[in-house]
Amino acid sequence: MPKIKSNSGAAKRFKKTANGFKHKQSFRSHILTKKTTKRKRQLRGMKQIHASDVPLIQRMLPNL
């Protein structure tokens, strides 16, 4: 049998945690001058994936 491959795009975007998966927030890469400091600060860090999306990500990342 061939090996099961992970989706390489998903592997770059999601990290496994004890409680599920975490991901970087969007709207933080460019055009930052018009966004308020508060908005940019709150977009920092990682967020948990919603419980309804976890099965989709587990299917894309079977080896994690």
Side-chain angles (χ1 to χ4, degrees), residues 15-22 47-55 57-58:
K15 298 287 178 237
K16 184 92 168 84
T17 65
N19 301 321
F21 291 90
K22 62 182 182 178
K47 294 287 180 179
Q48 285 291 115
I49 296 292
H50 193 270
S52 62
D53 294 323
V54 169
I57 294 167
Q58 284 177 333

Side-chain angles (χ1 to χ4, degrees), residues 16-42:
K16 184 92 168 84
T17 65
N19 301 321
F21 291 90
K22 62 182 182 178
H23 71 100
K24 184 177 181 277
Q25 288 198 76
S26 55
F27 302 107
R28 189 69 170 90
S29 58
H30 63 104
I31 315 177
L32 298 173
T33 52
K34 64 175 78 170
K35 294 174 184 143
T36 64
T37 308
K38 178 182 177 181
R39 184 175 167 193
K40 290 184 281 192
R41 182 175 64 244
Q42 290 176 341

